PDB file of all heavy atoms in Angstrom:
ATOM      1  N   ARG A 284     -12.986  21.738   0.298  1.00 97.00           N
ATOM      2  CA  ARG A 284     -14.420  21.907   0.564  1.00 97.00           C
ATOM      3  C   ARG A 284     -15.160  21.375  -0.651  1.00 97.00           C
ATOM      4  O   ARG A 284     -14.746  21.605  -1.794  1.00 97.00           O
ATOM      5  CB  ARG A 284     -14.778  23.383   0.789  1.00 97.00           C
ATOM      6  CG  ARG A 284     -14.196  23.997   2.060  1.00 97.00           C
ATOM      7  CD  ARG A 284     -14.645  25.443   2.235  1.00 97.00           C
ATOM      8  NE  ARG A 284     -14.340  26.251   1.060  1.00 97.00           N
ATOM      9  CZ  ARG A 284     -15.232  26.767   0.238  1.00 97.00           C
ATOM     10  NH1 ARG A 284     -16.536  26.560   0.450  1.00 97.00           N
ATOM     11  NH2 ARG A 284     -14.865  27.502  -0.805  1.00 97.00           N
ATOM     12  N   ALA A 285     -16.237  20.662  -0.408  1.00 97.00           N
ATOM     13  CA  ALA A 285     -16.933  20.026  -1.520  1.00 97.00           C
ATOM     14  C   ALA A 285     -18.435  20.026  -1.289  1.00 97.00           C
ATOM     15  O   ALA A 285     -18.909  20.054  -0.145  1.00 97.00           O
ATOM     16  CB  ALA A 285     -16.432  18.597  -1.706  1.00 97.00           C
ATOM     17  N   GLU A 286     -19.177  19.974  -2.384  1.00 98.00           N
ATOM     18  CA  GLU A 286     -20.633  19.897  -2.337  1.00 98.00           C
ATOM     19  C   GLU A 286     -21.087  18.468  -2.640  1.00 98.00           C
ATOM     20  O   GLU A 286     -20.558  17.817  -3.548  1.00 98.00           O
ATOM     21  CB  GLU A 286     -21.248  20.847  -3.368  1.00 98.00           C
ATOM     22  CG  GLU A 286     -22.769  20.815  -3.409  1.00 98.00           C
ATOM     23  CD  GLU A 286     -23.349  21.663  -4.524  1.00 98.00           C
ATOM     24  OE1 GLU A 286     -22.562  22.331  -5.227  1.00 98.00           O
ATOM     25  OE2 GLU A 286     -24.581  21.641  -4.712  1.00 98.00           O
ATOM     26  N   VAL A 287     -22.052  18.000  -1.881  1.00 98.00           N
ATOM     27  CA  VAL A 287     -22.633  16.688  -2.136  1.00 98.00           C
ATOM     28  C   VAL A 287     -23.522  16.790  -3.366  1.00 98.00           C
ATOM     29  O   VAL A 287     -24.488  17.561  -3.391  1.00 98.00           O
ATOM     30  CB  VAL A 287     -23.459  16.202  -0.926  1.00 98.00           C
ATOM     31  CG1 VAL A 287     -24.086  14.839  -1.226  1.00 98.00           C
ATOM     32  CG2 VAL A 287     -22.597  16.137   0.324  1.00 98.00           C
ATOM     33  N   VAL A 288     -23.207  16.021  -4.415  1.00 98.00           N
ATOM     34  CA  VAL A 288     -24.001  16.080  -5.640  1.00 98.00           C
ATOM     35  C   VAL A 288     -24.866  14.834  -5.821  1.00 98.00           C
ATOM     36  O   VAL A 288     -25.808  14.839  -6.609  1.00 98.00           O
ATOM     37  CB  VAL A 288     -23.103  16.276  -6.882  1.00 98.00           C
ATOM     38  CG1 VAL A 288     -22.381  17.608  -6.813  1.00 98.00           C
ATOM     39  CG2 VAL A 288     -22.105  15.137  -7.041  1.00 98.00           C
ATOM     40  N   GLU A 289     -24.566  13.760  -5.087  1.00 98.00           N
ATOM     41  CA  GLU A 289     -25.400  12.558  -5.172  1.00 98.00           C
ATOM     42  C   GLU A 289     -25.117  11.668  -3.979  1.00 98.00           C
ATOM     43  O   GLU A 289     -23.978  11.567  -3.507  1.00 98.00           O
ATOM     44  CB  GLU A 289     -25.115  11.775  -6.459  1.00 98.00           C
ATOM     45  CG  GLU A 289     -26.021  10.556  -6.636  1.00 98.00           C
ATOM     46  CD  GLU A 289     -25.701   9.748  -7.884  1.00 98.00           C
ATOM     47  OE1 GLU A 289     -24.796  10.137  -8.643  1.00 98.00           O
ATOM     48  OE2 GLU A 289     -26.359   8.700  -8.084  1.00 98.00           O
ATOM     49  N   THR A 290     -26.162  11.035  -3.481  1.00 98.00           N
ATOM     50  CA  THR A 290     -26.024   9.927  -2.532  1.00 98.00           C
ATOM     51  C   THR A 290     -26.902   8.794  -3.046  1.00 98.00           C
ATOM     52  O   THR A 290     -27.995   9.033  -3.561  1.00 98.00           O
ATOM     53  CB  THR A 290     -26.452  10.310  -1.104  1.00 98.00           C
ATOM     54  OG1 THR A 290     -27.851  10.612  -1.095  1.00 98.00           O
ATOM     55  CG2 THR A 290     -25.673  11.528  -0.602  1.00 98.00           C
ATOM     56  N   ARG A 291     -26.407   7.554  -2.906  1.00 98.00           N
ATOM     57  CA  ARG A 291     -27.178   6.422  -3.421  1.00 98.00           C
ATOM     58  C   ARG A 291     -26.815   5.166  -2.645  1.00 98.00           C
ATOM     59  O   ARG A 291     -25.633   4.913  -2.377  1.00 98.00           O
ATOM     60  CB  ARG A 291     -26.877   6.210  -4.902  1.00 98.00           C
ATOM     61  CG  ARG A 291     -27.706   5.119  -5.550  1.00 98.00           C
ATOM     62  CD  ARG A 291     -27.532   5.084  -7.052  1.00 98.00           C
ATOM     63  NE  ARG A 291     -26.281   4.491  -7.490  1.00 98.00           N
ATOM     64  CZ  ARG A 291     -25.300   5.128  -8.092  1.00 98.00           C
ATOM     65  NH1 ARG A 291     -25.390   6.422  -8.328  1.00 98.00           N
ATOM     66  NH2 ARG A 291     -24.212   4.503  -8.468  1.00 98.00           N
ATOM     67  N   ALA A 292     -27.822   4.405  -2.263  1.00 98.00           N
ATOM     68  CA  ALA A 292     -27.587   3.138  -1.582  1.00 98.00           C
ATOM     69  C   ALA A 292     -26.983   2.150  -2.580  1.00 98.00           C
ATOM     70  O   ALA A 292     -27.606   1.804  -3.582  1.00 98.00           O
ATOM     71  CB  ALA A 292     -28.887   2.596  -1.004  1.00 98.00           C
ATOM     72  N   LEU A 293     -25.759   1.717  -2.300  1.00 98.00           N
ATOM     73  CA  LEU A 293     -25.110   0.714  -3.137  1.00 98.00           C
ATOM     74  C   LEU A 293     -25.507  -0.693  -2.710  1.00 98.00           C
ATOM     75  O   LEU A 293     -25.594  -1.609  -3.534  1.00 98.00           O
ATOM     76  CB  LEU A 293     -23.589   0.883  -3.074  1.00 98.00           C
ATOM     77  CG  LEU A 293     -23.063   2.244  -3.568  1.00 98.00           C
ATOM     78  CD1 LEU A 293     -21.572   2.366  -3.311  1.00 98.00           C
ATOM     79  CD2 LEU A 293     -23.369   2.431  -5.051  1.00 98.00           C
ATOM     80  N   THR A 294     -25.722  -0.873  -1.405  1.00 98.00           N
ATOM     81  CA  THR A 294     -26.248  -2.107  -0.823  1.00 98.00           C
ATOM     82  C   THR A 294     -27.118  -1.668   0.355  1.00 98.00           C
ATOM     83  O   THR A 294     -27.165  -0.470   0.697  1.00 98.00           O
ATOM     84  CB  THR A 294     -25.133  -3.033  -0.309  1.00 98.00           C
ATOM     85  OG1 THR A 294     -24.645  -2.555   0.952  1.00 98.00           O
ATOM     86  CG2 THR A 294     -23.975  -3.139  -1.294  1.00 98.00           C
ATOM     87  N   PRO A 295     -27.782  -2.586   1.035  1.00 97.00           N
ATOM     88  CA  PRO A 295     -28.549  -2.182   2.222  1.00 97.00           C
ATOM     89  C   PRO A 295     -27.710  -1.554   3.324  1.00 97.00           C
ATOM     90  O   PRO A 295     -28.250  -0.842   4.180  1.00 97.00           O
ATOM     91  CB  PRO A 295     -29.167  -3.511   2.685  1.00 97.00           C
ATOM     92  CG  PRO A 295     -29.291  -4.324   1.442  1.00 97.00           C
ATOM     93  CD  PRO A 295     -28.065  -3.988   0.640  1.00 97.00           C
ATOM     94  N   THR A 296     -26.403  -1.779   3.318  1.00 96.00           N
ATOM     95  CA  THR A 296     -25.560  -1.249   4.388  1.00 96.00           C
ATOM     96  C   THR A 296     -24.478  -0.286   3.902  1.00 96.00           C
ATOM     97  O   THR A 296     -23.770   0.298   4.723  1.00 96.00           O
ATOM     98  CB  THR A 296     -24.871  -2.397   5.146  1.00 96.00           C
ATOM     99  OG1 THR A 296     -24.054  -3.154   4.225  1.00 96.00           O
ATOM    100  CG2 THR A 296     -25.885  -3.313   5.797  1.00 96.00           C
ATOM    101  N   ILE A 297     -24.311  -0.109   2.589  1.00 97.00           N
ATOM    102  CA  ILE A 297     -23.241   0.741   2.054  1.00 97.00           C
ATOM    103  C   ILE A 297     -23.841   1.867   1.229  1.00 97.00           C
ATOM    104  O   ILE A 297     -24.618   1.637   0.297  1.00 97.00           O
ATOM    105  CB  ILE A 297     -22.255  -0.081   1.198  1.00 97.00           C
ATOM    106  CG1 ILE A 297     -21.584  -1.162   2.043  1.00 97.00           C
ATOM    107  CG2 ILE A 297     -21.197   0.837   0.579  1.00 97.00           C
ATOM    108  CD1 ILE A 297     -20.725  -2.120   1.243  1.00 97.00           C
TER     109      ILE A 297
END
Side-chain angles (χ1 to χ4, degrees):
R284 293 182 306 112
E286 179 185 357
V287 179
V288 297
E289 183 182 358
T290 64
R291 184 171 76 247
L293 299 173
T294 78
T296 60
I297 299 173

